Amino acid sequence: MRMTGALQSAGVASGDEVIVPAYDTGELARAVVAAAAVPVFADIDPLTYCLAPDAVGQVVTPRTAAVILVHRFGHPAEAAPLAQLAAGHGLLLVEEEDPAGLGGDVAQRRERARYLDRRLAGVETPEPAEGHRYQRYVVRVPGNGRPDRDAFARLLRRRGVECEVPVPIPVHRMREFRRDGWMLGETERAADETLALHSLDGLSEAELRRLVSVCNALGGLLQPA
């Protein structure tokens, strides 16, 4: 894995701790294990889905060697406060770009995201941010968490609207990484509520309008808990 090699080249040694997001597919944690280090999970910012600097600070120990910074779904992470925290503790800050949806026309994706931001109702749209590339357009489905989100996703698919749960299981809940004591509330809420809609690359205007129409018709059925 590229990240394994980057950690080894940077001097991460056996038994060192490396802080990673638990709102992930597990690939980063596995790369840390492959480098003979120990993944430690920190919570995310609920608006960006990237590591929250305050949460990272709470899990730093004398064994911590590095923090892996990820720009999630194209939303830029808070690099400056994480860099300051890493420097203050003498840690490596290793940057990893989320590979999902790399390429495509960024300007076009932003235009389509603005269209959806203005018109979607019944779901919570992504937080706008300077530099957001919208590699994935991820919404939150209100209601009672996972049961409502999963039902909403099934209904979208039945009506021909593509969607995907981006993180079905937070990494700290996976069997290979599960340990007692992890309290990552924002990560777990995001895993229960988030839904990635159809890729914005290549969508026609008619498909965008249909996406809005179907989502809005279904979203009104769900009420926040």
Side-chain angles (χ1 to χ4, degrees), residues 108 112 115-116 119-120 156 159-162 197-215:
Q108 186 181 72
R112 290 170 174 170
Y115 176 91
L116 294 176
R119 289 168 173 80
L120 280 176
L156 285 182
R159 286 157 175 77
V161 174
E162 293 183 22
L197 299 181
H198 194 297
S199 170
L200 300 183
D201 288 311
L203 274 181
S204 67
E205 290 187 10
E207 288 170 325
L208 272 175
R209 289 194 297 271
R210 175 167 172 72
L211 173 60
V212 169
S213 176
V214 173
C215 283

Side-chain angles (χ1 to χ4, degrees), residues 3-212:
M3 179 54 67
T4 299
L7 292 171
Q8 291 171 331
S9 298
V12 171
S14 177
D16 283 346
E17 294 179 349
V18 178
I19 298 172
V20 298
Y23 186 73
D24 189 62
T25 62
E27 291 305 305
L28 287 178
R30 294 185 188 103
V32 171
V33 172
V38 179
V40 172
F41 303 110
D43 213 349
I44 58 168
D45 182 297
L47 299 179
T48 69
Y49 306 112
C50 303
L51 281 174
D54 289 347
V56 171
Q58 292 170 10
V59 297
V60 172
T61 75
R63 295 176 57 192
T64 306
V67 179
I68 298 180
L69 178 153
V70 181
H71 304 286
R72 186 67 69 197
F73 307 136
H75 195 299
E78 295 184 75
L82 283 172
Q84 184 177 7
L85 184 150
H89 290 277
L91 309 177
L92 297 166
L93 184 62
V94 183
E95 190 168 353
E96 172 74 357
E97 186 64 55
D98 185 352
L102 287 175
D105 187 329
V106 176
Q108 186 181 72
R109 285 203 300 266
R110 287 173 177 160
E111 180 181 350
R112 290 170 174 170
R114 287 192 293 269
Y115 176 91
L116 294 176
D117 290 346
R118 292 192 301 268
R119 289 168 173 80
L120 280 176
V123 295
E124 297 175 14
T125 56
E127 179 74 5
E130 184 177 354
H132 201 324
R133 293 188 291 167
Y134 294 97
Q135 291 169 345
R136 306 188 85 177
Y137 190 87
V138 176
V139 300
R140 285 188 185 240
V141 180
N144 294 306
R146 187 181 297 269
D148 284 346
R149 189 275 314 278
D150 291 351
F152 184 80
R154 285 194 298 271
L155 290 170
L156 285 182
R157 295 185 191 110
R158 287 176 190 171
R159 286 157 175 77
V161 174
E162 293 183 22
C163 61
E164 179 185 16
V165 175
V167 178
I169 304 174
V171 186
H172 69 296
R173 295 299 185 196
M174 294 180 180
R175 182 175 299 177
E176 61 192 293
F177 299 113
R178 187 181 299 155
R179 295 200 299 273
D180 293 335
W182 293 116
M183 301 294 291
L184 304 176
E186 295 298 346
T187 293
E188 295 190 10
R189 276 188 285 276
D192 285 349
E193 297 175 358
T194 50
L195 189 65
L197 299 181
H198 194 297
S199 170
L200 300 183
D201 288 311
L203 274 181
S204 67
E205 290 187 10
E207 288 170 325
L208 272 175
R209 289 194 297 271
R210 175 167 172 72
L211 173 60
V212 169

